[in-house]
């Protein structure tokens, strides 16, 4: 079945950087829209960044200028480059794929920003 596997999370200090990766299996990213969501304790899950099959991107206002979503279709991988991380970025980050309005989720990767 379809699987999305995230990696790259960890513990970093404020101002640090991380690059998250999402690798898909049994699904071809080239033809679908992808996104990164996050959920912090006690908060709703929110869309952080999205990239369409055509390459258009959208970002949560609070991460604009700091985060960049990209994809490498040859590697069937979507990335989220996160720079200048802040404590409020702490959350579990999830990769999401939307194929014909059927959503698929990864298991998530923890990002903790703390001094």
């Amino acid at each position: 079945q379809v699987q999305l596997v995230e990696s790259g999370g960890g513990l970093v200090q404020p101002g640090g950087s991380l690059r998250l990766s999402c690798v898909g299996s049994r699904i071809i990213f080239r033809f679908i829209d992808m996104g990164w969501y996050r959920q912090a304790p006690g908060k709703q899950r929110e869309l952080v960044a999205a990239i369409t099959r055509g390459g258009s991107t959208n970002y949560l206002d609070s991460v604009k200028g700091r985060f960049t979503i990209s994809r490498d279709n040859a590697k069937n991988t979507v990335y989220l480059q996160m720079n200048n991380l802040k404590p409020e970025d702490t959350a579990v980050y999830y990769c999401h794929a939307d194929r014909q309005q059927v959503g698929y989720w990864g298991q998530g990767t923890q990002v903790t920003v703390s001094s």
Side-chain angles (χ1 to χ4, degrees), residues 40-53:
K43 296 184 178 180
Q44 297 293 318
R45 186 172 296 188
E46 62 184 353
L47 177 64
V48 177
I51 184 166
T52 70
R53 68 201 75 180

Side-chain angles (χ1 to χ4, degrees), residues 7 12 24 31 39 41 43 54 59 61-62 66 92 94-95 97 100 106:
S7 62
V12 298
F31 304 110
Q39 187 165 24
K43 296 184 178 180
Y59 298 93
D61 284 344
S62 62
R66 299 189 296 121
V92 177
Y94 298 91
C95 181
Q100 301 189 67

Side-chain angles (χ1 to χ4, degrees), residues 57-73:
T57 59
N58 288 286
Y59 298 93
L60 183 67
D61 284 344
S62 62
V63 309
K64 288 181 179 178
R66 299 189 296 121
F67 291 11
T68 302
I69 187 171
S70 63
R71 67 185 182 191
D72 185 336
N73 291 330

Side-chain angles (χ1 to χ4, degrees), residues 1-7 21-30 32-36 75-78 94-99 102-108:
Q1 62 179 4
V2 172
Q3 282 192 316
L4 304 177
V5 180
E6 304 98 333
S7 62
S21 298
C22 172
V23 180
S25 62
R26 300 184 186 277
I27 186 170
I28 306 300
F29 286 178
R30 174 68 179 85
I32 60 176
D33 300 334
M34 303 292 299
W36 286 97
K75 296 181 178 180
N76 218 41
T77 301
V78 173
Y94 298 91
C95 181
H96 180 263
D98 187 339
R99 186 171 67 180
V102 176
Y104 299 93
W105 294 93
Q107 293 298 307

